[in-house]
């Protein structure tokens, strides 16, 4: 692992160079989603046939303003098992519990299926949740909740995942551009829409109760 960088008001793991590694990449903006590609090589074992195994980290960022208090938005966002309701690419999220708040994630989109187990690495109520995978598809990320006013906040997602070179070559266009760029930004819009709808229903219920 790497190290920890401070981004978007939250903690986000980042790669550090070590002897024998090569880092490089580029920044590409696609539909408002930042995309950073970092390639790194790992020396293979000694003996005949030893070589370098290349893999890449793909890092993304998306944000959305939501007309609701940060504490309330945080509370709704961290209902992890409800995420498939507003993130269509997510097939399921199962909470396993434990001191590290382990969860199991499965995604299915465009014929692709992946799964992983993750642990929460930092949790600051109303402000930040960050995680990293411990099994399956390698990924890491954080979601920060920045207060803009008493009734508005900005939700920022930072997501990174690692793919070996052969898989990166196959899915570079389809996976990176279509899946991440479209899905990550659209899920925030869906989340905002559902949250505001729920907020209006709650206010309506409170008004009706107070008038009785």
């Amino acid at each position: 692992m790497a190290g920890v960088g401070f981004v978007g008001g939250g903690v986000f793991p980042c790669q550090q160079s070590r002897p024998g590694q090569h880092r490089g990449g580029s920044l590409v903006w696609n539909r408002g989603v930042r995309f950073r590609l970092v390639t790194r090589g790992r020396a293979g074992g000694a003996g005949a046939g030893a070589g370098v195994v290349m893999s890449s980290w793909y890092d993304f960022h998306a944000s959305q303003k939501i007309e609701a208090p940060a504490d309330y938005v945080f509370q709704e966002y961290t209902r992890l098992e409800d995420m498939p309701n507003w993130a269509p690419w997510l097939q399921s999220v199962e909470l396993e519990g434990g001191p590290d708040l382990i969860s199991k994630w499965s995604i299915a989109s465009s014929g692709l299926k992946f799964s992983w187990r993750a642990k929460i690495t930092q949790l600051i109520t109303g402000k930040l949740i960050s995680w990293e995978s411990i099994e399956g598809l390698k990924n890491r990320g954080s979601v920060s909740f920045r207060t803009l006013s008493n009734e508005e906040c900005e939700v920022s997602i930072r997501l990174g995942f690692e793919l070996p070179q052969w898989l990166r070559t196959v899915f570079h266009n389809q996976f990176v551009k279509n899946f991440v760029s479209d899905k990550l930004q659209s899920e925030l819009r869906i989340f905002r829409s559902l949250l505001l709808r729920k907020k209006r229903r709650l206010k309506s219920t409170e008004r009706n109760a107070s008038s009785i």
Side-chain angles (χ1 to χ4, degrees):
M1 174 100 128
V4 176
F6 198 78
V7 294
V11 173
F12 184 65
C14 59
Q15 295 295 318
Q16 294 178 341
S17 296
R18 298 194 299 270
Q21 281 191 324
H22 169 72
R23 296 185 63 190
S26 60
L27 284 173
V28 178
W29 287 85
N30 184 15
R31 302 188 185 181
V33 179
R34 192 175 69 179
F35 162 11
R36 179 164 59 90
L37 168 61
V38 180
T39 57
R40 62 190 180 92
R42 297 191 297 271
V52 175
V53 179
M54 297 299 296
S55 61
S56 297
W57 276 98
Y58 291 84
D59 293 334
F60 299 87
H61 170 260
S63 62
Q64 176 71 52
K65 291 182 179 180
I66 300 179
E67 299 82 355
D71 285 344
Y72 177 69
V73 175
F74 175 90
Q75 176 184 321
E76 293 299 311
Y77 192 95
T78 52
R79 299 180 190 275
L80 301 183
E81 291 177 305
D82 292 339
M83 278 192 175
N85 294 333
W86 47 267
W89 55 276
L90 265 175
Q91 197 170 41
S92 64
V93 179
E94 302 173 17
L95 301 182
E96 298 182 8
D100 289 327
L101 301 177
I102 303 297
S103 53
K104 182 179 179 180
W105 300 68
S106 298
I107 62 176
S109 179
S110 302
L112 305 178
K113 292 185 178 181
F114 296 98
S115 63
W116 67 92
R117 293 174 69 237
K119 68 176 181 179
I120 301 299
T121 56
Q122 190 170 19
L123 184 66
I124 303 176
T125 302
K127 294 183 178 180
L128 171 74
I129 180 172
S130 60
W131 72 89
E132 65 180 4
S133 64
I134 58 175
E135 181 182 297
L137 179 67
K138 292 184 179 180
N139 68 92
R140 65 203 180 185
S142 68
V143 183
S144 61
F145 304 79
R146 183 168 67 95
T147 296
L148 300 178
S149 70
N150 290 337
E151 288 297 324
E152 186 178 36
C153 69
E154 181 178 52
V155 179
S156 296
I157 299 178
R158 295 193 178 263
L159 170 66
F161 61 89
E162 184 182 31
L163 294 178
Q165 186 177 33
W166 67 269
L167 193 56
R168 173 170 56 91
T169 301
V170 173
F171 292 118
H172 178 75
N173 289 326
Q174 179 183 352
F175 194 89
V176 173
K177 293 181 180 178
N178 296 339
F179 178 79
V180 181
S181 298
D182 293 341
K183 306 292 185 179
L184 188 60
Q185 192 67 55
S186 67
E187 75 171 35
L188 277 179
R189 290 193 293 266
I190 296 172
F191 172 70
R192 172 184 174 274
S193 177
L194 293 177
L195 182 142
L196 294 180
R197 190 182 306 166
K198 180 178 180 179
K199 185 173 175 239
R200 286 193 294 268
R201 285 200 307 268
L202 290 175
K203 284 188 175 181
S204 177
T205 300
E206 291 173 358
R207 284 196 300 268
N208 293 337
S210 63
S211 63
I212 296 177

